[in-house]
């Protein structure tokens, strides 16, 4: 069943948080995410909130500034205060009652934070929500080493770093930040299951190939011209690369050509066990430009809507023939026998111009 890291013909993202308690969901972590809807437009309240619904509580505690007034707990029992020995830093703490009520989850979203606070007495924490702040650097996670889910959606993070102290992390949400390159900051996250990097400024996938256990990857809305070398990502089942600049899966330079630095754009290799790949709104102009997908024996779903190729006559038949007859879904619609055999489901009807009348 598709997690939807692009089900149908989408592109986009999400933001809000609401829902049930995270206990059982954090234990399951057999996530089936939905990063995008079928609208083709930005959807901050769509799809991924279905993921967050599994973990986040509702309402409360919005807009608390980290720099104003005496330490006063909000309705969630959270106190944001200056760090005692460094007035330029901040701490986050909770009353014992608030912490005991939700020991594994802490929501610090929409707090106008420009930095990660020092977390006090939160050693049982498993889910940490920092979304919709102005945090520029991931830091101060040393006291929450059992963290499983970290959400920094819609911040100002520029570099993936500071995560080596949370090796148990399974879900990392970094959509809508200012990340330009992936680098080596994910190397210690050997148990990572879901990674969301949509709507950043990433131009290369270098730094991802070591994540053998990663199952779902969202790279939509970046600056990729090539998927690069992802051949070691044997656990990856779903890849969303919508709204990039990819022109040909076989070319390391994608739409910009092959004359590129091989250290940045290595010879392309696709994840061997990929089941769903979403390439909508790229620069793919011909079915032959996705021919490398033929080597993927488990591929079930492909999306190319919004690419130049989808305006060509016989598009569906050409793509299915180029990729694999085993593909069951193209652009969100089931692949039919007509698609496989090249039969036009809406043949033109010729109108007689003369001669005998019908039925004569």
């Amino acid at each position: 069943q598709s997690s939807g890291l692009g089900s149908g013909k989408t592109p986009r993202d999400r933001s809000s948080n609401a829902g049930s308690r995270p206990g059982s969901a954090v234990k399951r972590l057999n996530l089936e995410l939905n990063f995008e809807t079928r609208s083709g437009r930005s959807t901050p309240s769509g799809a991924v909130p279905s993921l967050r619904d599994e973990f986040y509580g509702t309402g409360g505690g919005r807009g608390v500034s980290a720099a104003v007034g005496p330490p006063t707990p909000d309705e969630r029992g959270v106190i944001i205060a200056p760090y005692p020995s460094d007035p330029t830093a901040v701490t986050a703490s909770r009353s014992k009652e608030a912490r005991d009520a939700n020991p594994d989850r802490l929501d610090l979203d929409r707090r106008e934070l420009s930095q990660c606070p020092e977390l006090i007495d939160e050693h049982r924490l498993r889910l940490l929500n920092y979304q919709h702040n102005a945090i520029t650097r991931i830091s101060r996670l040393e006291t929450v080493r059992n963290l499983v889910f970290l959400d920094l959606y819609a911040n100002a993070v520029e570099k993936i770093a500071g995560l080596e102290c949370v090796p148990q992390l399974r879900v990392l949400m970094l959509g809508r930040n200012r990340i330009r390159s992936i680098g080596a900051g994910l190397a210690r996250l050997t148990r990572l299951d879901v990674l969301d990097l949509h709507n950043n400024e990433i131009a290369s996938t270098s730094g991802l190939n070591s994540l053998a256990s990663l199952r779902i990857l969202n790279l939509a809305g970046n600056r990729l011209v090539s998927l690069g070398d992802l051949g070691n990502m044997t656990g990856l089942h779903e890849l969303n690369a919508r709204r990039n600049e990819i022109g040909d899966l076989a070319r390391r330079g994608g739409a910009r050509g092959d004359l590129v630095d091989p250290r940045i754009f290595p010879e392309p290799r696709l994840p061997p066990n990929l089941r769903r790949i979403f390439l909508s709104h790229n620069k793919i102009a011909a079915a032959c430009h996705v021919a490398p997908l033929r080597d993927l024996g488990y591929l079930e779903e492909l999306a190319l809507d919004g690419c130049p190729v989808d305006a060509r006559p016989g598009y569906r038949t050409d793509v299915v023939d180029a990729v694999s007859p085993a593909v069951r879904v193209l652009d969100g619609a089931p692949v039919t026998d007509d698609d496989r055999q090249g039969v036009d489901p809406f043949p033109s009807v010729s109108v007689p111009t003369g001669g005998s009348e019908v039925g004569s």
Side-chain angles (χ1 to χ4, degrees), residues 186-203:
L186 300 171
R188 301 281 186 90
L189 303 183
T190 58
R191 302 187 65 187
L192 199 63
D193 184 60
V194 177
L195 176 60
D196 178 16
L197 292 169
H198 84 283
N199 281 31
N200 278 280
E201 302 173 19
I202 298 168

Side-chain angles (χ1 to χ4, degrees), residues 112-130:
E112 302 178 14
L113 296 169
S114 61
Q115 60 181 284
C116 296
E118 186 79 21
L119 302 175
I120 307 300
D121 294 331
E122 294 288 358
H123 58 278
R124 291 182 291 175
L125 203 63
R126 304 191 74 195
L127 181 147
L128 179 56
N129 170 18
Y130 279 135

